[in-house]
């Protein structure tokens, strides 16, 4: 209840600075999908039609889980993985840039390779020596890592595989790509 003689607030508008704008009461919550700095604008409207606005900046927001682009077996469009092989599966985490037409800026070299898990079984990387390489030939460096195929948990029924991990800044990431399983018992 407002103080005697003061008009009651009837609506609060939240502009989260990432294109999300909606009305809600206080406190309001929002999950960012990309890391960055965001300017948040909150406007309260009273029953007389008057408003008051407050603006603040959130710095170094990690956001929710960021969906990044990955390429399983770069250079192999079908991403074939041999179900009975004891080899490794190469996975490139791709650097993206708005200037190149991508949805957001992301530097794959900021990924902490030791946090990565791949496939249904969450396989850890094969070795700590990750590789910086332009895997998608777009002129920027991507992060190339390897996983033992037998530790991924991929089966003959698998059609996609997912990579999860964290950046050095604490941002959770995930990326999914198609896979084509080969040398399955049903292939013979």
């Amino acid at each position: 209840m407002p103080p005697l003689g003061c008009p009651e607030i009837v609506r609060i508008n939240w502009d989260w600075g990432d294109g999300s704008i909606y009305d809600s009461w206080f406190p309001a919550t929002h999950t960012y999908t990309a890391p960055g700095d965001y300017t948040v604008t909150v406007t309260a409207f009273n029953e007389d039609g008057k408003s008051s606005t407050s603006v603040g900046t959130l710095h170094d927001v990690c956001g929710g889980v960021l969906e990044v682009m990955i390429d399983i077996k770069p250079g192999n469009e079908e991403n074939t993985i041999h179900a009975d092989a004891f080899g490794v599966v190469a996975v490139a985490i791709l650097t993206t840039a708005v200037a190149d037409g991508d949805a957001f800026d992301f530097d794959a070299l900021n990924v902490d390779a030791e946090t990565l898990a791949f496939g249904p079984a969450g396989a850890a990387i094969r070795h700590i020596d990750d590789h910086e390489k332009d895997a998608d030939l777009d002129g920027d460096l991507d992060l190339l890592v390897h996983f033992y195929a037998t530790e991924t948990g991929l089966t003959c029924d698998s059609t996609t595989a997912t990579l999860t991990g964290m950046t050095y800044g604490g941002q959770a990431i995930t990326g999914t790509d198609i896979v084509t399983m080969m040398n399955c018992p049903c292939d013979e």
Side-chain angles (χ1 to χ4, degrees), residues 65-169:
V65 177
L66 182 64
E67 291 192 37
V68 299
M69 294 178 60
I70 67 169
D71 187 4
I72 297 172
K73 296 191 73 177
N76 179 330
E77 288 186 27
E78 294 179 1
N79 304 333
T80 55
I81 298 174
H82 293 268
D84 62 353
F86 290 97
V88 295
V89 178
V91 180
I93 303 169
L94 305 179
T95 293
T96 57
V98 171
D100 294 338
D102 297 315
F104 56 89
D105 293 327
F106 179 74
D107 184 353
L109 302 184
N110 287 330
V111 172
D112 182 353
E114 293 185 40
T115 67
L116 296 175
F118 180 64
I125 60 172
R126 180 180 150 236
H127 52 80
I128 301 301
D129 299 327
D130 46 348
H131 308 283
E132 298 175 8
K133 179 181 178 179
D134 186 6
D136 56 357
L137 306 176
D138 66 353
D140 51 33
L141 291 176
D142 307 304
L143 183 65
L144 184 65
V145 292
H146 299 89
F147 301 89
Y148 284 117
T150 55
E151 295 177 359
T152 64
L154 294 170
T155 67
C156 291
D157 295 326
S158 298
T159 57
T160 62
T162 299
L163 176 87
T164 61
M166 301 287 285
T167 66
Y168 290 114

Side-chain angles (χ1 to χ4, degrees), residues 10-113:
V10 294
R11 181 169 64 97
I12 300 175
N13 178 265
W14 299 82
D15 179 341
W16 295 99
D18 65 349
S20 299
I21 301 171
Y22 54 88
D23 290 340
S24 176
W25 287 104
F26 185 82
T29 61
H30 181 68
T31 301
Y32 290 96
T33 59
D37 295 340
Y38 295 94
T39 300
V40 178
T41 305
V42 181
T43 305
F45 298 88
N46 69 20
E47 61 190 358
D48 291 342
K50 295 181 181 176
S51 65
S52 178
T53 299
S54 182
V55 178
T57 301
L58 301 174
H59 295 282
D60 299 321
V61 172
C62 287
V65 177
L66 182 64
E67 291 192 37
V68 299
M69 294 178 60
I70 67 169
D71 187 4
I72 297 172
K73 296 191 73 177
N76 179 330
E77 288 186 27
E78 294 179 1
N79 304 333
T80 55
I81 298 174
H82 293 268
D84 62 353
F86 290 97
V88 295
V89 178
V91 180
I93 303 169
L94 305 179
T95 293
T96 57
V98 171
D100 294 338
D102 297 315
F104 56 89
D105 293 327
F106 179 74
D107 184 353
L109 302 184
N110 287 330
V111 172
D112 182 353

